Amino acid sequence: KPVTELTKSAASSEAASLRAQLDEWRQEYYVNDAPTVEDHTYDMVYQRLLDLEAAFPAIVTSDSPTQQVGDVTLPGFSKVSHAVPMLSMGDVFSIEELSAFEARTKQNLGQSELDYNVELKIDGLAISLVYENGIFVQGSTRGDGNIGEDITANLRTIKSIPKQLTEPLSIEVRGECYMPKAAFAKLNERQEADGKAPFANPRNAAAGSLRQLDPQVTADRELATFIYYTANFDDLGVASQSDALARYEELGFTINPHYRVCHNMDDIAAYIDTYTDQRETLSYGIDGIVVKVNSIAQQDELGNTVKVPRWEIAYKFPPDEQQTVIQDIEWT
Ligand SMILES: NC(=O)c1cnc(OC2CCCC2)nc1N
């Protein structure tokens, strides 16, 4: 039923059962790296909870999934507290919602025109990398956004993560760690040959491979990274997200080359069409595109909500039929 037709108590009890369901799915996804439902299913139930809580603010609970960033930290890893919280992203599922994001952002900034940096949304897991005087000293998972797992030893085995930068900067960068599709296929063949359960998709395989206590296991998994963020823009000497990506590459990081500065929603829609078509040809999984206000000064002006930046949004692709087919195959 539309939330507007519900009584507060009906909304409250529906929200409670949705939270229980989402918590069960989060445990599977973030702790076991073995979800039993498609991302799309999770997203839709999550969106329903957001709608209920928006219609009845009094029913929001502090432990609601809507009030916290996803991942859970595993025992066995030492903890890292992130100097700047690692936020997740708000999601939209249509161009109309994307246009609403644009209107809201223009209004917040009092601007009639805005430049965006549009990027592929890599389907991996967020990592943080800390460098002191250009030397890689610590790497971690996002965790709950404030506290993550120290996976430095595992990250040292990944070729695309530089041990030393081309400049002696002390900086923290963030990006996505992912498993290329070819490595994923090979890994599941090996899993099958060893009589082990296959991984559901490359994202879970990457998460399972990174959150290993034995770095040698990680080393064998052929993981890769794309860097896309830093909390210390002042150290980079850049004024926009697109310039920041070029700087990350100069420093020795791998960035995803398919980013594009867009000046309006038509440009963004064209980008979405392009990569909706090209999605299957990419050597890694993507589950949408990310639209960011390009100017760092404007990002700072917009700030963040309790959980997500106001200056960016993730447009999620509809569920990947091909992926669903893979899920249905009986893995003997
Ligand atoms: N999965 C991705 O490809 C991706 C994820 N996150 C971001 O941006 C961060 C910056 C601050 C909060 C989100 N960009 C991306 N391209």
Side-chain angles (χ1 to χ4, degrees):
K1 277 169 70 174
V3 294
T4 46
E5 291 173 22
L6 291 175
T7 62
K8 184 182 166 209
S9 64
S12 183
S13 59
E14 182 184 346
S17 68
L18 294 186
R19 288 187 193 111
Q21 177 62 79
L22 289 166
D23 283 346
E24 187 188 323
W25 286 340
R26 282 149 62 86
Q27 172 81 15
E28 293 167 354
Y29 186 91
Y30 289 114
V31 177
N32 315 338
D33 298 322
T36 57
V37 292
E38 290 287 306
D39 291 4
H40 181 70
T41 306
Y42 180 92
D43 287 343
M44 290 301 111
V45 171
Y46 184 83
Q47 192 60 49
R48 173 71 181 179
L49 178 57
L50 280 174
D51 295 345
L52 287 168
E53 293 182 348
F56 299 91
I59 68 173
V60 177
T61 57
S62 60
D63 68 341
S64 175
T66 61
Q67 305 303 302
Q68 50 203 300
V69 174
D71 315 2
V72 182
T73 55
L74 289 178
F77 290 98
S78 50
K79 301 292 174 271
V80 169
S81 79
H82 300 302
V84 173
M86 287 181 74
L87 303 176
S88 59
M89 279 186 280
D91 290 344
V92 294
F93 302 90
S94 68
I95 296 288
E96 292 70 32
E97 288 175 285
L98 209 44
S99 302
F101 163 76
E102 181 194 38
R104 172 166 86 236
T105 307
K106 283 179 170 176
Q107 205 220 347
N108 285 344
L109 288 169
Q111 298 287 338
S112 56
E113 295 308 316
L114 275 182
D115 275 357
Y116 304 94
N117 194 62
V118 186
E119 304 168 10
L120 297 180
K121 187 171 181 298
I122 311 303
D123 195 9
L125 69 154
I127 55 170
S128 158
L129 306 174
V130 178
Y131 288 77
E132 280 170 11
N133 303 316
I135 306 295
F136 177 49
V137 295
Q138 185 177 65
S140 58
T141 61
R142 173 165 57 194
D144 67 2
N146 293 304
I147 306 287
E149 297 140 320
D150 186 325
I151 52 169
T152 308
N154 295 346
L155 291 170
R156 284 195 197 287
T157 71
I158 299 178
K159 297 175 188 60
S160 60
I161 295 178
K163 306 253 181 312
Q164 178 161 6
L165 303 180
T166 56
E167 296 169 33
L169 287 187
S170 294
I171 189 171
E172 183 212 347
V173 295
R174 296 169 182 180
E176 206 77 7
C177 179
Y178 67 94
M179 184 180 289
K181 292 173 183 173
F184 171 66
K186 238 168 66 182
L187 172 61
N188 269 351
E189 276 170 29
R190 265 210 328 266
Q191 290 289 101
E192 215 184 312
D194 299 349
K196 292 180 189 158
F199 288 94
N201 58 49
R203 189 258 164 220
N204 298 316
S209 303
L210 257 193
R211 301 168 76 192
Q212 287 287 334
L213 290 170
D214 174 3
Q216 191 49 52
V217 174
T218 305
D220 298 339
R221 296 290 176 82
E222 299 172 64
L223 294 173
T225 58
F226 290 125
I227 298 303
Y228 49 61
Y229 178 76
T230 182
N232 331 99
F233 279 104
D234 309 350
D235 306 332
L236 288 185
V238 295
S240 69
Q241 171 64 6
S242 48
D243 288 349
L245 289 172
R247 275 295 275 139
Y248 300 140
E249 199 162 31
E250 268 173 23
L251 291 171
F253 295 110
T254 305
I255 62 165
N256 187 278
H258 299 284
Y259 63 98
R260 187 183 297 177
V261 175
C262 294
H263 307 291
N264 52 54
M265 202 42 67
D266 288 347
D267 289 353
I268 295 173
Y271 180 96
I272 291 176
D273 289 345
T274 300
Y275 288 101
T276 302
D277 295 345
Q278 290 191 11
R279 184 178 180 189
E280 299 317 315
T281 66
L282 296 169
S283 61
Y284 43 83
I286 61 171
D287 61 345
I289 64 120
V290 184
V291 179
K292 300 176 181 179
V293 169
N294 200 26
S295 153
I296 303 303
Q298 289 180 335
Q299 291 182 10
D300 292 342
E301 199 179 326
L302 288 163
N304 307 325
T305 69
V306 70
K307 206 186 124 177
V308 299
R310 284 196 195 88
W311 45 267
E312 71 168 355
I313 199 80
Y315 167 88
K316 299 291 279 287
F317 289 135
D320 175 359
E321 304 316 315
Q322 194 262 345
Q323 182 131 22
T324 310
V325 170
I326 287 186
Q327 295 297 328
D328 295 342
I329 291 175
E330 273 311 302
W331 296 96
T332 49

